[in-house]
Each structure stands twice: as C-alpha cells, then as structure tokens.
C-alpha cells in the first residue's frame, strides 16, 4: 500500500489547562507559518470571546503547518469532558494523538477521558510532558503515571511503546530529556514525523469524505470540514451526500478550502489523507459521507456519547420580561436552539407539552451554561429550570450517570471534604499524600450529587482546593436524596426598589443577593435564609421620616457586601420550584409561582 509521506494528521489532547493551545501556538510560530511582522495573539486557536475570557478551549479547531517538506494537520481539542462530543468526532480525522500532560499535576480525570477515546480508535500516541520548568515538576513519576493509565485503559503493545518529549510550551523549549531543553520545537516535530503513521494514498479509488465539523459563511453557506478518507475531490465535481436515514442528495462542490496556519486557502483538488472544508450543499450534517453518484459507499456513522444532564428552557414570563432582551418570543428561542443543533452533535432539544418550553440535554453544566451565555450575549431572554441528571434504562435497570472526581486539598481540609462527598453518596477509590501538605483523593460520585457542590467545596477548602470530575459510566440509581440545597431563600413581597433600610433589617436573616437600588418584583429571590424554610420579606421598605431628632443621626448606614452569582452558580443554586431568569444584562432567581398565597396553597397540596 502506498503512503503519503508528505503529510501527518494529529490531534492534541489533554486535561483542561495542561497547555495544548499554548503548545499549538509555539508549533505554529516555530514552523515559520506566520510572517516575520505578522501580529499573532496568544492562544491564537482560542478564537471565541468566551474561550478567551475563561482560558479554555470549547470548540475543536484545525490548523496546518509546513515543517521542512511536509504538511502537518493539527487538531486542537477541548480538554473539558463537557465538550467530549468535540473530541470524539476529531478522533475519526487523525492517525495519531499527542497527549499533553502537566509535569507537576500528572494524569487527571479528563486526561483519562480523552486518552480512552483515542485508544478506542486504535490511534498511535506520543506523550508531551509540558511545564517541565515548574519548580516542583516531577517528570519521572508522571511518565510512570501515564504508563499506568495506558495499561489500565487497555492499550495494545504498540500503543504502550509511546515516545516522550519534554517541553515548556510557554517558554518555547523542548527536548528528549527533562534537563536537556533547547529553544526550538524540533524534538516535537521530529517525534511526530517519526512515530505518527502517514495516511494511505488511495487517490485512484472512488471518493469517501466524512463531515466531522461544521462551519457557516454568509457567502458560501454551510461548510463541512472533514477528511478525504479515500479517493480525491475537485471543485465543480458532482457528488452525493449519504444521509443517516439512507437517502441521498446530489450537489456540486462549489468551493474547496485547505488550511495553512489560521487561514483557509482556496484549493482546486484534495486527495486521500487531506483535511479540507467543502461548500455547495445547504443541509450538510455531521457524520454524513460524500461519495461519487455511481459509487455510494457510506462510512460508519459517528457515535457520540449520550447527554447526561437536562434542563427546561422557558420563555421569560416574569414582570420584567422584554425590558432588556431583543429576542423574547418562543419562535425566536426555538430557532436559536435548532440552529445550535446543527453544529453541536452532543446537544438534544425536545419540545414539551407547553409551546413555550423545551427540554435541552447536554453533557454537563458547563456545556449547557456556555450555550446559555452565548444566547444572552446575542440578546435572548429566557428562564431556566434546575438542571437534572438523565436516568437511563440499561438491561431493564434504571441507571444514573456516575462521575470520577479527583480533589487536591491541603491536609487540614481532607476530613470535611471526605465527609461532604460521603453525604452525597460518594465512594472513595484512592488517597495519596503527596508529601508537600497536599492530599489527592479519588472518588466515584453520582452526577446529581455534584450539582452545586463546587461552591461548597471552595468554601470548605478556603479556596485552596482543586476539584476535577469527568463522566465515568451509567450505574444503577442510588436510593434516597443525593445533594441539593439545604437552606431556604428570602423572597421579595412586592415590586419596587431594594432599599438600604430594607436590606439592613434583613442582614441577620441570611445572605442578601441584591444591592440597594436594584429593581425587584413579587416572588423574586433576594437572598438565602439561614434556616431551611423560605421567608417572604419586604426588602423595599423605606425608613419613615419623623421630626424626632436622633443622637446617632449623623452615622452613615453601612451594609455588608451582597453576594453576586455567576450563571453557573445561579443554575447550581436553584431548587425544583424555582427558575433562573437570564437576560443580556441580568441574572435573577425567582419562584415559579410568584404570588405568596398561591405558593402556600401549592405547598399544602404537595
């Protein structure tokens, strides 16, 4: 079989924040892909606003660079398990993976997740041990950890013979030994060229091209990105796309794009092994195969892990609806959700009995909250119910998603963390004292036990703890209450503005969420009660003026700082009888039933 030795296809995989995107930056810079005077941002591959703000990769992206006489296609993947759908698709496009591991942190839950996907596809791995310049780096131990992980995940003999490159991506150095670092990326490039297999050259055979990523352009419409698995494709060629239901649609390839650096370049032809983008078909979808009309031969459909979490998206019907958002109708919200389905393969949207509500399922809280954050930035207003885990029937048994949780905590906080995860039905798997005052503990916890746990964990460890978790498997449902909020809430009695006087009178009742001058409405949640029942309060009351003078009149009223919540914290906080109201400017919490008397009647009926 002939091989195309001038090309390599590789995906970069790692746990969040182990340095994938920074490594891709250095490879692009060092390969001379950018001009001398070209202005390039840091983490050039993270192009989305939210990606830049949070410092995480959300969407898988591809780039290509020239190294000597060869072309290397690189796919940068997300490290967070919530975006696992992106990682799974990418594995179909490449022949090998570069597993990036932090030389201090070692293997983490999501290192395990992304590596498992790569090994299942029988891809050839190389390991890049990043951040070897960290003062407490432990390269030798981490390589052993990686080897143990490969064995545990059932790697075959060839995969176990992985080469290791040591690097410090942020400093632009790499080498084949931790101490021998040179200011170049040649050791990484040479390892890729030597160990990652070259794709087969089958340009004489009939075409097979599978769509794995989607993009959209106002000029050419929908663009499908994927790999030419077999044969060749030209601009102007008449082809058919094979749909999931077995139907076929023919179209003409209007444009073909190759990749170089961060740019797309128009090309006339692509052959087997190339990763390209093609335009010409309006309803192209992920997983579909493009073939010649006289030789329809579909590739296996892409299998994506099922969603584990769902929540209800509802049209905003609060007293403040329509004041801040541009798109508030059910038609607009439904259109936007269906548009998201076109590019996000691990999302599900299902209608409910009500025309104003939809059940949206995703891979985790972060997955859904990124969608909501994007919608509110685009001008949408909506209400969201409490996230719930999806119960699935496996062989006649009701099963719920379980997660592997890894916590790194200072020694003095281990007791409280173990106790709190024990209450949430967590089972301890492993505990290692790292000898520097830090303890690493592994747990298996039901997903529903982790909803809202991060905030509690941070306060238990005074902000010094690190928690990582990733989906493990569906297991039989654990009986009884798991997790959930214990405290009640303070609910506003009437519409108006929160006053300093009103807030001062409530401070001993709990934590206040709204600042003085904030507009509130009846049924809106304005704070957390320090007991387990809800309390309706008058936060808008003003101090009555009298003509009686006070000896303390000139003292300025001071109130404690109010607690502000991010979108994720708000979603984790609400209970089943509450909604989170999201607009482009504000995030509010409210009761589903706003009227106090109606709420009391509903509670009695329950």
């Amino acid at each position: 079989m002939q091989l195309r030795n001038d090309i390599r296809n590789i995906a970069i995989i790692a746990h969040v924040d182990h340095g994938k995107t920074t490594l891709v930056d250095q490879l692009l810079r060092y390969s001379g892909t950018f001009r001398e005077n070209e202005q390039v941002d840091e983490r050039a591959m993270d192009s989305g606003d939210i990606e830049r703000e949070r410092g995480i990769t959300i969407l898988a992206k591809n780039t290509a660079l020239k190294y000597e006489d060869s072309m290397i296609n690189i796919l940068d993947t997300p490290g967070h398990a919530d975006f696992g759908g992106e990682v799974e698709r990418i594995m179909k496009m490449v022949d090998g993976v570069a597993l990036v591991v932090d030389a201090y942190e070692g293997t983490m839950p999501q290192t395990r997740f992304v590596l498992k996907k790569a090994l299942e596809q029988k891809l050839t791995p190389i390991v890049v041990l990043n951040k070897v310049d960290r003062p407490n780096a432990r390269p030798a131990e981490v390589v052993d950890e990686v080897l143990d992980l490969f064995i545990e995940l059932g790697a075959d003999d060839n995969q176990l013979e992985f080469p290791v490159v040591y690097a410090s991506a942020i400093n632009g150095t790499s080498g084949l030994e931790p101490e021998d670092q040179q200011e170049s990326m040649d050791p990484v490039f040479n390892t890729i060229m030597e160990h990652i297999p070259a794709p087969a050259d089958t340009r004489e055979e009939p075409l097979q091209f599978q769509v794995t990523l989607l993009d959209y352009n106002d000029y050419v419409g929908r663009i499908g990105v994927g790999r030419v698995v077999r044969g060749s494709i030209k601009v102007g060629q008449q082809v058919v796309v094979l749909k999931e239901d077995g139907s076929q649609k023919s179209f003409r390839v209007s444009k073909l794009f190759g990749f170089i650096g961060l740019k797309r370049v128009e090309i006339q032809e692509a052959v087997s092994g190339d990763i390209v983008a093609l335009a010409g078909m309006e309803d192209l979808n992920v997983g579909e195969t493009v073939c010649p009309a006289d030789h329809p031969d579909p590739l296996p459909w892409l299998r994506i892990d099922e969603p584990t979490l769902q929540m209800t998206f509802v049209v905003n019907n609060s007293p403040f609806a329509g004041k801040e958002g541009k798109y508030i109708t059910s038609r607009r919200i439904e259109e936007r959700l269906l548009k998201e389905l076109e590019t996000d393969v691990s999302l599900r949207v299902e209608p409910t009995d009500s025309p104003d509500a939809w059940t949206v399922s995703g891979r985790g809280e972060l997955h859904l909250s990124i969608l909501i954050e994007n919608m509110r930035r685009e001008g949408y207003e909506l209400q969201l119910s409490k996230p719930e885990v999806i119960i699935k029937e496996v062989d006649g048994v009701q099963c719920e998603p379980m997660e592997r949780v890894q916590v790194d905590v200072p020694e003095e906080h281990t007791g409280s963390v173990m106790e709190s995860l024990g209450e949430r039905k967590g089972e301890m798997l492993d505990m290692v004292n790292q000898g520097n005052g830090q303890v690493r503990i592994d747990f298996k916890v039901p997903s529903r036990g982790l909803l809202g746990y991060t905030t509690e964990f941070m306060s238990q460890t005074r902000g010094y703890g690190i928690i990582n978790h990733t989906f493990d498997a569906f297991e039989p449902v654990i009986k009884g209450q798991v997790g959930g909020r214990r405290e009640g809430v303070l609910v506003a009695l009437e519409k108006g503005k929160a006053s300093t006087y009103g807030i001062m009178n409530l401070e001993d009742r709990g934590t206040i969420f709204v600042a003085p001058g904030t507009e509130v409405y009846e049924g809106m949640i304005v704070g957390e009660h320090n007991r387990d029942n809800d309390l309706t309060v008058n936060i808008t009351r003003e101090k009555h003026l009298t003509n009686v003078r006070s000896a303390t009149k000139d003292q300025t009223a001071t109130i404690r700082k109010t607690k502000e919540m991010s979108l994720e914290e708000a979603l984790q906080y609400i209970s089943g009888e509450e909604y989170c109201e999201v607009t482009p400017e504000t995030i509010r919490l409210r009761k589903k039933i706003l009227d106090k008397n109606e709420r009391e009647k509903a509670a009695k009926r329950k």
Side-chain angles (χ1 to χ4, degrees):
M1 186 172 67
Q2 264 190 316
L3 296 178
R4 286 192 63 192
N5 287 312
D6 61 333
I7 194 166
R8 295 289 185 280
N9 296 321
I10 186 168
I12 304 237
I13 59 173
H15 179 78
V16 176
D17 214 20
H18 279 197
K20 303 179 296 298
T21 307
T22 313
L23 180 68
V24 175
D25 267 10
Q26 291 296 355
L27 294 175
L28 283 168
R29 283 200 170 85
Y30 188 75
S31 66
T33 302
F34 300 130
R35 296 191 314 275
E36 290 289 318
N37 61 346
E38 193 167 341
Q39 181 66 42
V40 181
D41 294 331
E42 265 189 41
R43 301 200 331 273
M45 296 291 283
D46 283 348
S47 49
D49 290 345
I50 299 180
E51 291 182 315
R52 290 205 160 283
E53 285 164 28
R54 302 193 184 201
I56 57 172
T57 303
I58 294 170
L59 299 171
K61 300 178 194 67
N62 53 321
T63 181
L65 50 86
K66 283 259 195 274
Y67 177 66
E68 293 171 352
D69 301 329
S70 303
M71 175 74 99
I72 300 177
N73 285 312
I74 297 178
L75 288 120
D76 183 16
T77 61
H80 203 288
D82 279 18
F83 308 110
E86 297 282 324
V87 181
E88 291 164 55
R89 301 189 263 175
I90 291 307
M91 298 304 171
K92 293 280 189 195
M93 293 168 74
V94 294
D95 304 297
V97 292
L99 176 69
V100 182
V101 185
D102 186 312
Y104 165 65
E105 286 189 347
T107 60
M108 301 291 273
Q110 278 138 20
T111 312
R112 173 194 193 84
F113 172 81
V114 290
L115 181 62
K116 184 172 161 215
K117 298 290 171 201
L119 296 177
E120 280 170 5
Q121 297 289 343
K122 300 285 180 244
L123 297 176
T124 306
I126 65 172
V127 173
V128 179
L129 219 59
N130 194 19
K131 307 192 188 183
V132 289
D133 57 321
R134 283 182 72 162
N136 36 14
R138 41 190 193 98
E141 292 164 48
V142 171
V143 171
D144 290 345
E145 278 180 27
V146 173
L147 183 61
D148 290 346
L149 183 62
F150 269 81
I151 294 167
E152 190 186 330
L153 293 176
D156 60 34
D157 292 349
N158 294 334
Q159 289 171 329
L160 286 172
E161 296 294 318
F162 57 85
V164 181
V165 187
Y166 301 89
S168 166
I170 201 144
N171 298 327
T173 65
S174 63
L176 297 176
E177 293 297 332
E179 307 79 32
D180 174 29
Q181 292 287 302
Q182 52 192 29
E183 281 199 21
S184 107
M185 286 284 136
D186 278 345
V188 181
F189 282 125
N190 292 335
T191 308
I192 291 174
M193 294 307 293
E194 280 170 35
H195 292 274
I196 301 297
D201 189 347
T202 56
R203 64 184 78 189
E204 302 306 322
E205 295 178 29
L207 166 71
Q208 269 186 326
F209 170 92
Q210 189 163 37
V211 182
T212 35
L213 299 171
L214 288 177
D215 202 350
Y216 187 83
N217 178 311
D218 289 340
Y219 299 106
V220 295
R222 193 178 283 195
I223 295 171
V225 181
R227 172 172 170 164
V228 184
V229 180
R230 189 177 76 191
S232 64
I233 187 166
K234 296 183 182 68
V235 173
Q237 186 175 341
Q238 198 67 32
V239 290
V240 294
V241 57
L242 308 176
K243 301 278 180 190
E244 191 173 8
D245 59 7
S247 62
Q248 300 180 8
K249 282 193 176 177
S250 70
F251 73 100
R252 198 174 69 84
V253 179
S254 59
K255 293 236 186 267
L256 265 183
F257 300 98
F259 296 90
I260 188 75
L262 304 175
K263 300 189 192 74
R264 276 199 192 130
V265 286
E266 277 201 44
I267 53 174
Q268 291 305 306
E269 184 181 14
V271 298
S272 55
D274 285 332
I275 290 178
V276 293
L278 67 86
M281 174 76 184
E282 249 321 296
D283 60 340
L284 207 57
N285 286 304
V286 168
E288 294 174 349
T289 310
V290 175
C291 298
D294 57 351
H295 202 289
D297 182 9
L299 285 157
W301 201 259
L302 293 179
R303 195 193 70 76
I304 304 290
D305 276 358
E306 292 292 309
T308 57
L309 199 69
Q310 66 183 30
M311 59 202 296
T312 311
F313 282 42
V314 186
V315 171
N316 190 7
N317 59 3
S318 86
F320 292 170
K323 283 190 172 181
E324 296 166 1
K326 216 172 13 169
Y327 308 120
I328 53 173
T329 59
S330 56
R331 183 177 64 87
R332 285 290 201 164
I333 293 171
E334 186 169 37
E335 274 174 11
R336 177 65 182 81
L337 289 173
L338 295 177
K339 184 180 165 211
E340 189 67 24
L341 281 181
E342 293 179 354
T343 52
D344 189 341
V345 289
S346 40
L347 195 73
R348 304 271 184 282
V349 176
E350 290 147 8
T352 62
D353 301 339
S354 158
D356 291 345
W358 303 266
T359 303
V360 180
S361 314
R363 289 288 283 266
E365 286 166 284
L366 185 63
H367 182 199
L368 292 172
S369 72
I370 294 285
L371 165 63
I372 298 158
E373 182 63 42
N374 278 324
M375 285 176 72
R376 71 180 279 227
R377 289 182 184 203
E378 291 162 21
Y380 288 84
E381 259 188 38
L382 54 145
Q383 295 181 139
L384 308 151
S385 73
K386 176 184 168 62
E388 292 171 353
V389 300
I390 295 172
I391 305 294
K392 189 171 147 187
E393 197 170 294
V394 182
D395 301 331
V397 180
Q398 296 284 39
C399 292
E400 66 174 327
M402 301 291 282
E403 309 223 359
R404 277 184 89 104
V405 180
Q406 188 177 69
V407 296
D408 287 279
V409 291
E411 276 176 22
E412 63 268 26
H413 300 306
T414 48
S416 58
V417 170
M418 285 163 71
E419 186 186 345
S420 65
L421 279 170
E423 283 172 3
R424 290 165 178 267
K425 304 288 192 280
E427 176 194 337
M428 192 170 90
L429 304 174
D430 189 21
M431 181 169 170
V432 180
N433 191 325
Q434 299 184 328
N436 53 2
Q438 288 284 101
V439 180
R440 175 171 287 186
I441 320 172
D442 287 339
F443 292 92
K444 194 185 220 169
V445 188
S447 295
R448 60 192 162 123
L450 288 175
L451 292 175
Y453 177 64
T454 313
T455 324
E456 186 184 324
F457 173 78
M458 282 307 175
S459 50
Q460 276 174 348
T461 59
R462 308 266 168 90
Y464 286 109
I466 298 170
I467 180 166
N468 288 290
H469 55 92
T470 183
F471 170 73
D472 189 53
F474 275 91
E475 291 189 6
V477 172
I478 293 171
K479 297 277 186 291
Q481 172 71 19
V482 178
R485 190 180 75 207
R486 296 189 186 93
E487 295 79 12
V489 287
L490 304 175
V491 186
L493 176 67
E494 58 186 22
K495 193 171 177 179
K497 279 188 179 176
S499 66
T500 309
Y501 182 67
I503 290 173
M504 279 176 71
N505 285 317
L506 293 175
E507 284 192 323
D508 58 342
R509 295 289 191 156
T511 311
I512 306 297
F513 296 161
V514 294
T518 306
E519 292 271 358
V520 300
Y521 53 80
E522 181 187 3
M524 182 170 149
I525 295 168
V526 292
E528 179 176 86
H529 194 193
N530 45 22
R531 300 203 177 163
D532 61 2
N533 61 321
D534 293 346
L535 191 66
T536 306
V537 296
N538 185 358
I539 200 168
T540 59
R541 75 193 251 209
E542 294 286 354
K543 187 173 183 181
H544 291 296
L545 299 175
T546 67
N547 58 0
V548 178
R549 296 194 176 183
S550 158
T552 58
K553 178 181 182 301
D554 292 336
Q555 289 184 359
T556 312
T558 56
I559 55 173
R560 290 200 292 268
K561 190 173 185 314
T562 54
K563 180 179 177 181
E564 285 185 17
M565 287 197 191
S566 68
L567 178 60
E568 274 100 348
E569 287 169 340
L571 292 176
Q572 288 174 354
Y573 185 79
I574 55 177
S575 73
E577 285 83 51
E578 295 157 8
Y579 278 141
C580 173
E581 180 188 346
V582 174
T583 75
E585 291 167 37
T586 343
I587 294 169
R588 302 184 189 97
L589 305 180
R590 55 160 283 189
K591 287 288 181 186
K592 285 185 179 175
I593 302 171
L594 297 177
D595 184 86
K596 181 185 178 213
N597 299 328
E598 293 292 327
R599 269 203 309 279
E600 285 169 357
K601 281 181 199 164
K604 276 179 188 161
R605 280 201 296 274
K606 243 180 162 178

